[in-house]
Amino acid sequence: MRNRARYLIPLLVAGVVAAGCTGGGSTPPAPQGSGSASAPGAAAANPNSLPRNETLYMSGTQWGPPANFNPIREWDSATGTKGLAYETLFHFDPNAGKLIPWLAESGDWVDDKTYQVKLRSGVTWSDGKPFTSADVKYTFELGKMETIPYHNIWDFLTTVEAVDPQTVKFSFSKANYQQWSFNLYSRSIVPEHIWKDRSEQDVLDGVNENPVATGAYKYMSHDQDRVIWVKRDDWWGKTALRMDPKPKYIVDIVNSSNEVAMGLLLQKGLDLSNNFLPGAANLVKGNFGVSTFYPEPPYMLSANTAWLVPNTTKKPMDDPEFRKALAYSVDTKKIIEGVYGNLVKVSSPTGLLPQWDQYVDQSVVGQSGFTFDTAKAKKLLADAGYRDRDGDGLVENKDGSKINLKLIVPSGWTDWMESIRVIAASAKDAGINVTPDFPDFNALVEVRNSGKFDLLINNERGLSSTPWTYYDYIFQLPIRKVQNTVNFGRYENKEAWDLVHELDQVKADDVEGMKAVISKLQKIHLDEMPIIPLWYNGLWSQVSSSVWKNWPSSAPNAPKTAPVAWRNWMELGGFETIAQLQPANP
Amino acid sequence: MRHYFGRKLLIYGLTFFVAVTVNWMIPRFMPGDPVASMLARARVSQPEALEAMRAYYTNLFGLDEPLWRQYLNFWAALLQGDFGISVWVFPTPVATVILGAVPYTLGLMIPAVLLSWVVGNRLGAFAARRKLLDNTVLPVGYLLTATPYMWIAVILAWGLGVVAGIFPVAGGYGFSLRPTWSLEFIGSLLLHWALPFASLFLVALGGWAIGMRNMIIYELESDYSNYLAALGAPQRLIRRYAFRNAVLPQITGLALQLGVLVAGALVTEIVFSYPGLGSLILKAIQNQDFFLLQGTFLFIVLGVLIANFIIDIVYVVVDPRTRAGMAGAAA
């Protein structure tokens, strides 16, 4: 027996070792995440432990490991790729409602179909090479590739010409001024000298390790749950913009959940949280050292509008009268108070964000707007011929068939889930049978895009330089087999779509001209109700002033920029917010 | 001997084949389309650009081929160690994503499972003999086993993390650090490891202790113990035999535990935002990431098989009946 044991022990050891190898190594945890390798030289020069008083910690944008630093992939590149590293020609100031020259010194329409940009001189890429008009030309011409997200500008853009190193001339076949202004602050300019040899696949899918960019920060390192940016001492904006961001390092932390973000915030390990934290009001009121833009409801600025989208190809939602009745039936106030604890605001019937207030035509709203009014909803239904024939308190279709509408939001989006329970209940009070349902996100995307749903909540267009983006969302034609990002309700109105085109061709500084077209669009929207605006989602932002102060707030002397690092918001004030921060304990 | 292991290997091979096939099938029969959800994130509204991207990605992931071809391609790639590209963390290869997470999970689970087994068995064995210990270990053990991992994890995170501020509540190491072999980094690694480990360890501990206690009492009261006692054998010897017999079912239990290693850590990892395989699985499911999901499941399957294989070997050492069976088969 002893002998046999001795004979077996080596076997056991061998087995364990073999298991260790095949199993991927139970060896001591090597904490190098997925490719945390940075340039060896850079790593040697930088500290491995960031001093707290020089580091800004933020979170709320990145929901997965930072997988790429490719600014062409605007939707999933690591936070800061656009904004901290890559820059755009302009920024947009939502408060002033105008473009702020950034990489461009100025931009003008020299004639009806030509836009000329003067670039700043003295701007250098992080590898020391000068930034020139060739880079701008190259970047916009990338859009000629079919798979590039901004391919559509080439529908109306005909040529981009580098007149001299500091001048770029854009010529158009049709002047879509509104759309163009949106592109001016949305497209990251990439360096031609590095990118010019890249294939289409590389441009679209490349990881772009060690990004060479013009921005105030450059890439330092990343791991599965963070990306670290370090300040560039030779950033051009120091002199040209007189901005000198104080945080030497910016660490963007990957969200695993809002609860984790809350924990980090309470531990003062997070300076800026752009997560939706359900109890944010209590955080602000309690003594936790956490503050928001407003010290009172709604606490946050508004970022986008949540709409109830009816599928207008299905009965009875193909009837504008029915849609109107539905709009009247929703008790939005109950959602604001009960679900959000006053963190959000009731939207204007037009759905236009508060920043676009000047475009709301009050006479149209007075005439065709809606409010929560169950009695009015019932009356509208009765007038349109929807009656309760079997006495169950719920109306039937005109032909007598039962109405049973499913309202969907993604499972796990708890605030929306609660909201649609409220909507369903208040619709039932008005006699409309609406049932809340919570499919998995991907399943929802599938039915949403292919038009196989009844009702859903959506908010895919947010604040931008122009309400054009909003009306483009509501009315875009033609309807396709698969709708991506716009007009999920498949609403068809040629007249409205022509008006959207008309709006596009009003110059961005012609406010009166825009108002005239928008007023007509509002009338159609409110009479037809292709989408029903409900509330403004907040610009979720909770900040801690323990390390950095001078955060934007409603206080008289505080900055008023947007306190978010969300994707595409760096150009809408997010970067300016970071640049204004001051150390709390100098 | 050779016969015994040969048969085992054959069974393992078959299991592996079936598991991989099922693994390939499950995500493909889930609702939703990974390319569609990827495009939905891309927020492209222009139809031409969208169609071009759709065609491009469908082709890139090989989803435009007939199912049987996809299946064959899957095996071919797998045998070359290629797990494909992750949709969620596109364009990172799945193998890279998984290898980044594996050390965290193994570093968390192996010590938690093994230590709780050793300590739990010890505690249980002692408890069976000491009234005082029994009165404490038993109720505490029941309480611990009955507690869901998640619950203990949340209490630990809240109490020791947020309120007391001793331990961090998220991440694998401090957000101010970069991975190096410095003392500071290793300290941070341990600090972040402590709470998730504690939550797993505590819950598992109770189960092992109770199991062992009951087994020991049973063995001490069985006929062979009484017979030994009647022969006048010293109490120590009797207890040693009782322990050897009682530990066998515990070893089987350990095998099962090691098998579900990764799944066990899932909830804990999510609570502490610990960057291991558990968090990865959740994200892969949420993001319809076929390839990542397959990769992690494959890893789990391999883990289960390897753990079982080790236990098979251990059984040969500790259980004379297995050896007797082998000898019989060889004869």
Side-chain angles (χ1 to χ4, degrees), chain A residues 442-495:
Chain A
N442 289 293
L444 182 136
V445 166
E446 199 168 281
V447 294
R448 182 188 73 190
N449 295 9
S450 57
K452 288 187 202 124
F453 66 97
D454 296 334
L455 293 162
L456 53 80
I457 304 281
N458 190 253
N459 65 337
E460 298 223 351
R461 286 276 161 97
L463 183 65
S464 77
S465 61
T466 160
W468 173 83
T469 53
Y470 175 61
Y471 288 107
D472 178 52
Y473 171 91
I474 308 181
F475 296 116
Q476 197 181 94
L477 292 179
I479 305 296
R480 290 160 215 113
K481 223 173 94 205
V482 174
Q483 290 287 100
N484 206 41
T485 75
V486 292
N487 198 354
F488 295 121
R490 299 172 171 252
Y491 174 72
E492 286 191 70
N493 186 332
K494 179 82 175 39
E495 186 198 345

Coordinates of all heavy atoms in Angstrom, one line a residue, chain A residues 442-495:
Chain A
N442 N -31.2 43.4 -26.9 CA -30.9 43.1 -28.3 C -32.2 42.6 -29.0 O -32.4 42.9 -30.1 CB -29.9 41.9 -28.4 CG -28.5 42.5 -28.0 OD1 -28.0 43.3 -28.7 ND2 -28.0 42.0 -26.9
A443 N -33.1 41.9 -28.2 CA -34.4 41.6 -28.8 C -35.2 42.8 -29.1 O -35.8 42.9 -30.1 CB -35.1 40.7 -27.8
L444 N -35.1 43.8 -28.2 CA -35.8 45.1 -28.4 C -35.3 45.8 -29.7 O -36.0 46.2 -30.5 CB -35.6 46.0 -27.2 CG -36.4 47.3 -27.3 CD1 -37.1 47.6 -26.0 CD2 -35.5 48.5 -27.7
V445 N -33.9 45.8 -29.8 CA -33.4 46.4 -31.0 C -33.9 45.8 -32.3 O -34.2 46.5 -33.2 CB -31.8 46.3 -31.0 CG1 -31.2 46.7 -32.3 CG2 -31.3 47.3 -29.9
E446 N -34.0 44.5 -32.2 CA -34.5 43.8 -33.4 C -35.9 44.2 -33.8 O -36.2 44.5 -34.9 CB -34.4 42.3 -33.2 CG -34.4 41.5 -34.5 CD -34.0 40.0 -34.2 OE1 -32.8 39.8 -34.1 OE2 -34.9 39.2 -34.1
V447 N -36.8 44.1 -32.8 CA -38.2 44.4 -33.1 C -38.4 45.9 -33.4 O -39.2 46.3 -34.3 CB -39.2 44.0 -32.0 CG1 -39.3 42.5 -31.9 CG2 -38.9 44.7 -30.7
R448 N -37.6 46.7 -32.7 CA -37.6 48.2 -33.0 C -37.2 48.5 -34.4 O -37.9 49.2 -35.1 CB -36.7 48.9 -32.0 CG -36.7 50.4 -32.1 CD -35.7 51.0 -31.2 NE -34.4 50.8 -31.8 CZ -33.2 51.1 -31.2 NH1 -33.2 51.5 -29.9 NH2 -32.0 50.8 -31.8
N449 N -36.1 48.0 -34.8 CA -35.6 48.4 -36.1 C -36.4 47.8 -37.3 O -36.4 48.3 -38.3 CB -34.1 48.0 -36.2 CG -33.2 48.7 -35.2 OD1 -33.7 49.4 -34.4 ND2 -31.9 48.6 -35.4
S450 N -37.0 46.6 -37.0 CA -37.7 46.0 -38.1 C -39.2 46.4 -38.0 O -40.0 45.9 -38.9 CB -37.6 44.5 -38.0 OG -38.0 44.0 -36.8
G451 N -39.6 47.2 -37.1 CA -41.0 47.7 -37.0 C -42.0 46.7 -36.5 O -43.1 46.7 -36.9
K452 N -41.5 45.7 -35.7 CA -42.5 44.7 -35.2 C -43.0 45.0 -33.8 O -43.4 44.1 -33.1 CB -41.8 43.3 -35.3 CG -41.6 42.8 -36.7 CD -41.0 41.4 -36.6 CE -40.3 41.1 -37.9 NZ -38.9 40.6 -37.7
F453 N -42.9 46.2 -33.4 CA -43.4 46.5 -32.0 C -44.7 47.3 -32.1 O -45.1 47.7 -33.1 CB -42.3 47.4 -31.3 CG -42.1 48.7 -32.0 CD1 -42.8 49.8 -31.4 CD2 -41.4 48.9 -33.1 CE1 -42.6 51.1 -32.0 CE2 -41.2 50.1 -33.7 CZ -41.9 51.2 -33.2
D454 N -45.3 47.5 -30.9 CA -46.5 48.4 -30.8 C -46.1 49.8 -30.4 O -46.3 50.8 -31.0 CB -47.5 47.8 -29.8 CG -48.0 46.5 -30.3 OD1 -48.0 46.2 -31.5 OD2 -48.5 45.7 -29.4
L455 N -45.5 49.8 -29.1 CA -45.1 51.1 -28.5 C -43.7 50.9 -27.9 O -43.5 49.8 -27.3 CB -46.1 51.5 -27.4 CG -47.5 51.8 -27.9 CD1 -48.4 51.8 -26.6 CD2 -47.6 53.2 -28.5
L456 N -42.9 51.9 -27.9 CA -41.7 51.9 -27.1 C -41.3 53.3 -26.7 O -41.8 54.3 -27.1 CB -40.6 51.2 -27.9 CG -40.2 51.6 -29.3 CD1 -39.3 52.9 -29.3 CD2 -39.5 50.5 -30.1
I457 N -40.3 53.3 -25.8 CA -39.7 54.5 -25.3 C -38.3 54.7 -26.0 O -37.6 53.7 -26.1 CB -39.5 54.6 -23.8 CG1 -40.8 54.3 -23.1 CG2 -38.9 55.9 -23.4 CD1 -41.8 55.5 -23.0
N458 N -38.0 55.8 -26.5 CA -36.7 56.0 -27.1 C -36.2 57.4 -26.9 O -37.0 58.3 -26.6 CB -36.9 55.8 -28.6 CG -35.6 55.7 -29.3 OD1 -35.2 56.6 -30.1 ND2 -34.8 54.6 -29.1
N459 N -34.9 57.6 -27.0 CA -34.3 58.9 -26.8 C -33.1 59.1 -27.6 O -32.1 59.6 -27.1 CB -34.1 59.2 -25.3 CG -33.0 58.3 -24.8 OD1 -32.8 57.2 -25.3 ND2 -32.3 58.6 -23.7
E460 N -33.0 58.6 -28.8 CA -31.8 58.5 -29.5 C -31.2 59.8 -30.0 O -30.0 59.8 -30.5 CB -31.8 57.4 -30.6 CG -32.2 56.1 -30.0 CD -31.3 55.0 -30.6 OE1 -30.6 55.2 -31.6 OE2 -31.4 53.8 -30.1
R461 N -31.9 60.8 -30.0 CA -31.3 62.1 -30.4 C -31.3 63.0 -29.2 O -32.4 63.2 -28.6 CB -32.1 62.7 -31.6 CG -31.8 62.0 -32.9 CD -30.6 62.5 -33.6 NE -30.1 61.6 -34.6 CZ -30.4 61.7 -36.0 NH1 -31.1 62.7 -36.4 NH2 -29.9 60.8 -36.8
G462 N -30.2 63.6 -29.0 CA -30.1 64.5 -27.8 C -29.8 65.9 -28.3 O -30.0 66.3 -29.4
L463 N -29.3 66.7 -27.3 CA -29.0 68.1 -27.6 C -27.9 68.2 -28.7 O -27.0 67.4 -28.8 CB -28.4 68.8 -26.4 CG -28.1 70.3 -26.5 CD1 -29.4 71.0 -26.8 CD2 -27.4 70.8 -25.3
S464 N -28.1 69.1 -29.6 CA -27.1 69.3 -30.7 C -27.1 70.8 -31.0 O -27.8 71.6 -30.4 CB -27.3 68.5 -31.9 OG -28.4 69.0 -32.7
S465 N -26.4 71.2 -32.0 CA -26.3 72.6 -32.4 C -27.6 73.0 -33.1 O -27.9 74.2 -33.3 CB -25.2 72.8 -33.4 OG -25.3 72.0 -34.5
T466 N -28.5 72.1 -33.5 CA -29.6 72.4 -34.2 C -30.8 71.5 -34.0 O -30.6 70.3 -34.0 CB -29.3 72.5 -35.7 OG1 -30.5 72.4 -36.5 CG2 -28.4 71.3 -36.1
P467 N -32.0 72.1 -33.9 CA -33.2 71.2 -33.8 C -33.4 70.4 -35.1 O -34.3 69.5 -35.1 CB -34.4 72.2 -33.6 CG -33.8 73.5 -33.3 CD -32.4 73.5 -33.9
W468 N -32.7 70.6 -36.1 CA -32.8 69.8 -37.3 C -32.6 68.4 -37.0 O -33.3 67.5 -37.5 CB -31.7 70.3 -38.3 CG -31.7 69.4 -39.5 CD1 -32.5 69.4 -40.6 CD2 -30.8 68.3 -39.7 NE1 -32.2 68.4 -41.5 CE2 -31.2 67.7 -40.9 CE3 -29.8 67.7 -39.0 CZ2 -30.6 66.5 -41.5 CZ3 -29.1 66.6 -39.5 CH2 -29.5 66.0 -40.7
T469 N -31.6 68.1 -36.1 CA -31.3 66.6 -35.8 C -32.6 66.0 -35.2 O -32.8 64.8 -35.4 CB -30.2 66.5 -34.7 OG1 -30.4 67.4 -33.6 CG2 -28.8 66.9 -35.3
Y470 N -33.3 66.8 -34.4 CA -34.5 66.3 -33.8 C -35.6 66.0 -34.8 O -36.2 64.9 -34.8 CB -35.0 67.3 -32.8 CG -36.3 67.1 -32.0 CD1 -36.4 66.0 -31.2 CD2 -37.3 68.0 -32.1 CE1 -37.6 65.7 -30.5 CE2 -38.5 67.7 -31.4 CZ -38.6 66.6 -30.6 OH -39.8 66.4 -30.0
Y471 N -35.8 66.9 -35.7 CA -36.9 66.7 -36.7 C -36.4 65.6 -37.8 O -37.3 64.9 -38.3 CB -37.3 68.0 -37.4 CG -38.1 68.8 -36.4 CD1 -37.6 69.9 -35.8 CD2 -39.4 68.4 -36.0 CE1 -38.3 70.7 -34.9 CE2 -40.1 69.1 -35.1 CZ -39.6 70.2 -34.5 OH -40.3 70.9 -33.6
D472 N -35.2 65.5 -38.0 CA -34.6 64.5 -38.8 C -35.0 63.1 -38.2 O -35.3 62.2 -38.9 CB -33.1 64.6 -38.9 CG -32.4 63.5 -39.8 OD1 -32.9 63.3 -40.9 OD2 -31.5 62.9 -39.3
Y473 N -34.9 63.1 -36.9 CA -35.3 61.8 -36.2 C -36.8 61.5 -36.4 O -37.1 60.4 -36.7 CB -35.0 62.0 -34.7 CG -35.5 60.8 -33.8 CD1 -34.7 59.7 -33.6 CD2 -36.8 60.9 -33.3 CE1 -35.2 58.7 -32.8 CE2 -37.3 59.8 -32.6 CZ -36.5 58.7 -32.3 OH -36.9 57.7 -31.6
I474 N -37.6 62.5 -36.2 CA -39.1 62.2 -36.3 C -39.6 61.9 -37.7 O -40.4 60.9 -37.9 CB -39.9 63.4 -35.8 CG1 -39.4 63.9 -34.5 CG2 -41.4 63.1 -35.7 CD1 -40.2 65.1 -33.9
F475 N -39.1 62.6 -38.7 CA -39.7 62.5 -40.0 C -38.9 61.8 -41.1 O -39.4 61.7 -42.2 CB -40.1 63.9 -40.5 CG -41.1 64.6 -39.6 CD1 -40.7 65.8 -38.9 CD2 -42.4 64.1 -39.5 CE1 -41.7 66.4 -38.1 CE2 -43.3 64.8 -38.7 CZ -43.0 65.9 -37.9
Q476 N -37.7 61.3 -40.8 CA -36.9 60.9 -41.9 C -37.6 59.8 -42.8 O -38.2 58.9 -42.3 CB -35.6 60.3 -41.4 CG -34.5 60.2 -42.5 CD -33.2 59.6 -42.0 OE1 -33.0 58.4 -42.2 NE2 -32.4 60.4 -41.5
L477 N -37.4 60.1 -44.1 CA -37.9 59.2 -45.1 C -36.8 58.8 -46.1 O -35.8 59.5 -46.1 CB -39.1 59.9 -45.9 CG -40.4 60.2 -45.2 CD1 -41.3 60.9 -46.1 CD2 -41.0 58.9 -44.7
P478 N -36.8 57.8 -46.9 CA -37.9 56.9 -46.9 C -37.8 55.8 -45.8 O -36.8 55.6 -45.2 CB -37.7 56.2 -48.3 CG -36.2 56.3 -48.5 CD -35.8 57.6 -47.8
I479 N -38.9 55.1 -45.6 CA -38.9 54.0 -44.6 C -38.3 52.8 -45.2 O -38.5 52.5 -46.4 CB -40.4 53.7 -44.2 CG1 -41.1 54.9 -43.7 CG2 -40.4 52.6 -43.2 CD1 -40.6 55.5 -42.5
R480 N -37.4 52.2 -44.5 CA -36.7 51.0 -45.0 C -37.1 49.8 -44.2 O -37.8 49.9 -43.2 CB -35.2 51.3 -44.8 CG -34.7 52.3 -45.8 CD -33.3 52.8 -45.3 NE -33.3 54.3 -45.6 CZ -33.3 55.2 -44.7 NH1 -33.3 54.9 -43.4 NH2 -33.3 56.5 -45.0
K481 N -36.6 48.7 -44.8 CA -36.9 47.4 -44.1 C -36.4 47.5 -42.7 O -37.1 47.0 -41.8 CB -36.3 46.3 -44.9 CG -37.2 45.1 -45.0 CD -36.6 44.0 -45.9 CE -35.9 43.0 -45.1 NZ -34.9 42.3 -45.8
V482 N -35.2 48.0 -42.5 CA -34.6 48.1 -41.2 C -34.4 49.6 -40.9 O -33.6 50.2 -41.6 CB -33.3 47.3 -41.1 CG1 -32.7 47.6 -39.7 CG2 -33.6 45.8 -41.3
Q483 N -35.0 50.1 -39.9 CA -34.8 51.5 -39.5 C -33.7 51.5 -38.4 O -33.8 50.9 -37.4 CB -36.0 52.1 -38.9 CG -37.1 52.4 -39.9 CD -36.8 53.5 -40.9 OE1 -36.4 53.3 -42.0 NE2 -37.1 54.7 -40.4
N484 N -32.6 52.3 -38.6 CA -31.6 52.4 -37.6 C -31.6 53.8 -37.1 O -31.4 54.7 -37.9 CB -30.2 52.0 -38.2 CG -29.3 51.4 -37.2 OD1 -29.7 50.7 -36.3 ND2 -28.1 51.8 -37.2
T485 N -31.7 54.0 -35.8 CA -31.6 55.3 -35.1 C -32.7 56.3 -35.4 O -32.9 57.2 -34.6 CB -30.3 56.0 -35.4 OG1 -30.3 56.6 -36.7 CG2 -29.1 55.1 -35.2
V486 N -33.4 56.3 -36.5 CA -34.4 57.3 -36.7 C -35.8 56.7 -37.1 O -35.9 55.6 -37.5 CB -34.1 58.3 -37.8 CG1 -32.9 59.1 -37.4 CG2 -33.8 57.6 -39.1
N487 N -36.8 57.5 -36.9 CA -38.2 57.2 -37.3 C -38.6 55.8 -37.1 O -39.0 55.1 -38.0 CB -38.4 57.6 -38.7 CG -39.9 57.8 -39.1 OD1 -40.8 57.4 -38.3 ND2 -40.1 58.2 -40.3
F488 N -38.4 55.3 -35.9 CA -38.8 53.9 -35.6 C -40.3 53.6 -35.8 O -40.7 52.5 -36.0 CB -38.4 53.5 -34.2 CG -36.9 53.6 -34.0 CD1 -36.3 54.4 -33.0 CD2 -36.1 52.8 -34.7 CE1 -35.0 54.4 -32.8 CE2 -34.7 52.8 -34.5 CZ -34.1 53.6 -33.6
G489 N -41.1 54.7 -35.6 CA -42.5 54.5 -35.7 C -43.0 54.4 -37.1 O -44.1 54.2 -37.4
R490 N -42.0 54.6 -38.1 CA -42.3 54.4 -39.5 C -43.4 55.4 -40.0 O -44.3 55.0 -40.7 CB -42.7 53.0 -39.8 CG -41.5 52.1 -39.5 CD -41.7 50.7 -39.5 NE -40.4 50.0 -39.4 CZ -39.8 49.4 -40.3 NH1 -40.3 49.3 -41.5 NH2 -38.6 48.9 -40.1
Y491 N -43.3 56.6 -39.5 CA -44.3 57.6 -39.8 C -44.0 58.2 -41.2 O -42.8 58.6 -41.4 CB -44.4 58.7 -38.8 CG -45.3 59.8 -39.1 CD1 -46.6 59.7 -39.0 CD2 -44.7 61.1 -39.4 CE1 -47.5 60.8 -39.3 CE2 -45.6 62.1 -39.7 CZ -46.9 62.0 -39.7 OH -47.7 63.0 -40.0
E492 N -45.0 58.2 -42.1 CA -44.7 58.8 -43.5 C -45.5 60.0 -43.7 O -46.7 60.0 -43.7 CB -45.0 57.7 -44.5 CG -44.0 56.6 -44.6 CD -44.2 55.7 -45.8 OE1 -43.9 56.2 -46.9 OE2 -44.6 54.6 -45.6
N493 N -44.7 61.1 -43.9 CA -45.4 62.4 -44.3 C -44.4 63.2 -45.1 O -43.4 63.7 -44.7 CB -45.7 63.1 -43.0 CG -46.5 64.4 -43.2 OD1 -46.4 65.0 -44.3 ND2 -47.3 64.8 -42.2
K494 N -44.6 63.1 -46.4 CA -43.8 63.7 -47.4 C -43.6 65.2 -47.1 O -42.5 65.7 -47.2 CB -44.4 63.5 -48.8 CG -43.6 64.0 -50.0 CD -42.4 63.1 -50.3 CE -41.7 63.5 -51.6 NZ -41.4 64.9 -51.8
E495 N -44.7 65.8 -46.8 CA -44.7 67.3 -46.6 C -43.7 67.6 -45.5 O -42.9 68.5 -45.6 CB -46.1 67.8 -46.3 CG -46.2 69.3 -46.2 CD -47.5 69.6 -45.4 OE1 -48.4 68.8 -45.3 OE2 -47.6 70.8 -45.0

